[in-house]
Amino acid sequence: MSKEYYKKKIIDLRAKLQKEKDAKKKDNERFAASVKSASTTDRKAYYRRQKVESSARHDKNMEYIKREIERAKESLKREK
């Protein structure tokens, strides 16, 4: 692979990471609004669980993307 390939991959991964951060923020806001507007305590508990699960899923995806960025950086160093 070429240096340009790894540079482009890093840029794309950083954009993907930012997109994932934005999605996490949007989901957290949506679940917070759902919790606030829920009428029963069971519904509120359900939305809180969903919020935690969604947040954990986004965190896992972000960690994966960060690892991919590090791998691409290491590959770029090897190319030089």
Side-chain angles (χ1 to χ4, degrees), residues 51-66:
K51 182 179 177 183
V52 169
E53 290 172 7
S54 174
S55 183
R57 192 170 38 253
H58 285 297
D59 289 340
K60 183 179 174 184
N61 289 342
M62 286 188 289
E63 287 303 315
Y64 174 76
I65 294 168
K66 288 176 185 177

Side-chain angles (χ1 to χ4, degrees), residues 36-47:
K36 194 172 187 178
S37 66
S39 58
T40 65
T41 56
D42 288 340
R43 250 314 139 186
K44 284 185 182 199
Y46 170 77
Y47 287 132

Side-chain angles (χ1 to χ4, degrees), residues 5 10-11 17-18 22 27-28 42 45 56 68 70 74 77:
Y5 168 80
I10 291 169
I11 291 169
L17 180 63
Q18 186 59 46
D22 293 342
D27 283 350
N28 280 343
D42 288 340
E68 287 293 309
E70 290 304 314
E74 290 298 319
K77 285 180 185 177

